[in-house]
Amino acid sequence: MIVTLIVVCEVGFWVLLAAGLAARYLLKMPRTGIALLLCEPLLEVLLLVVTAIDLKNGADPSWKHGLAALYIGYTVGHGHRTVKWLDGHAAHRFGGAPPPPKPPRYGMARARHEGRVWLGSVVAAAVASGLLFLAALYVGEDGNTDGLYGWMFVAWRAAGIHGLIALTYAIWPKKAPEKAPEKAPEEGSAVPARDPEHVPDLLVRRTGKDEEQV
């Protein structure tokens, strides 16, 4: 049941997101669109309540409860950034807004961007760990809580790997490709000019010599 509910929440997240953006920009109903977008956190609350009820009814803590905690943590850590990114593109595509700025690709600006994304993973791991810890306290010492604590390790291991990847952008910043140098105009080449002073001196001297020979 928990796994099914996670799938329903994931599908519901994208359905509400698409419906909210469509109402906001296609149907020109901004309040309705915002209301639909604000309904998304209710999916995570529903998942949390069902998980707690499942444990209260005597279910042994398993990977399903850990996966539910990780899903809620990921939504808290990265959901806002995902919604903001899609909203910016929808506003540009359907609302006439300017295109959203692209994330930096090179140098320390890229490193700072990757660091901010990694902070979302830290928040996700912290939220998931907090929920798993509360679930372990709820089950008590008589229950099997090893699986819940194991999922805490999974959450922080994922955040640690992401942190190492983000750190590489600061240690080895990606350099922007060098622009090809502009070629200087060759001497003696024909130069279009409206005024005589725009003509190179070399051409003027050659013209004078040709007139003398004639």
Side-chain angles (χ1 to χ4, degrees), residues 161-195:
I161 294 174
H162 188 184
L164 291 176
I165 296 174
L167 186 61
T168 60
Y169 287 94
I171 299 177
W172 300 287
K174 189 176 180 180
K175 296 182 179 180
E178 298 182 357
K179 295 182 179 180
E182 297 182 358
K183 295 183 178 180
E186 299 179 359
E187 290 188 358
S189 61
V191 179
R194 295 182 180 178
D195 301 321

Side-chain angles (χ1 to χ4, degrees), residues 7 13 23 82 85 98 101-103 116 128 133 135 140 153 155 162 172 184 191 201:
V7 175
F13 173 85
T82 302
W85 182 81
K102 295 182 179 181
R116 287 190 293 268
F133 182 73
F153 173 74
H162 188 184
W172 300 287
V191 179
D201 294 340

Side-chain angles (χ1 to χ4, degrees), residues 51-138:
T51 303
I53 293 176
D54 191 45
L55 291 173
K56 184 176 179 60
N57 291 335
D60 292 330
S62 64
W63 63 271
K64 297 178 293 184
H65 303 94
L67 183 61
L70 289 186
Y71 175 80
I72 296 173
Y74 179 86
T75 304
V76 174
H78 294 285
H80 175 72
R81 183 173 57 85
T82 302
V83 172
K84 183 178 179 181
W85 182 81
L86 290 174
D87 182 72
H89 283 274
H92 169 61
R93 183 68 177 82
F94 304 109
K102 295 182 179 181
R105 300 176 58 187
Y106 308 107
M108 294 307 298
R110 174 66 182 272
R112 288 189 292 268
H113 169 75
E114 295 295 334
R116 287 190 293 268
V117 176
W118 170 70
L119 288 178
S121 296
V122 173
V123 172
V127 171
S129 297
L131 294 175
L132 291 168
F133 182 73
L134 291 176
L137 292 179
Y138 184 76

Side-chain angles (χ1 to χ4, degrees), residues 1-13 42-54 64 67-68 71-72:
M1 179 180 179
I2 299 297
V3 177
T4 302
L5 188 57
I6 292 175
V7 175
V8 170
C9 288
E10 177 66 18
V11 174
F13 173 85
L42 297 178
L43 297 175
E44 280 66 47
V45 174
L46 174 64
L47 179 60
L48 179 61
V49 171
V50 172
T51 303
I53 293 176
D54 191 45
K64 297 178 293 184
L67 183 61
Y71 175 80
I72 296 173

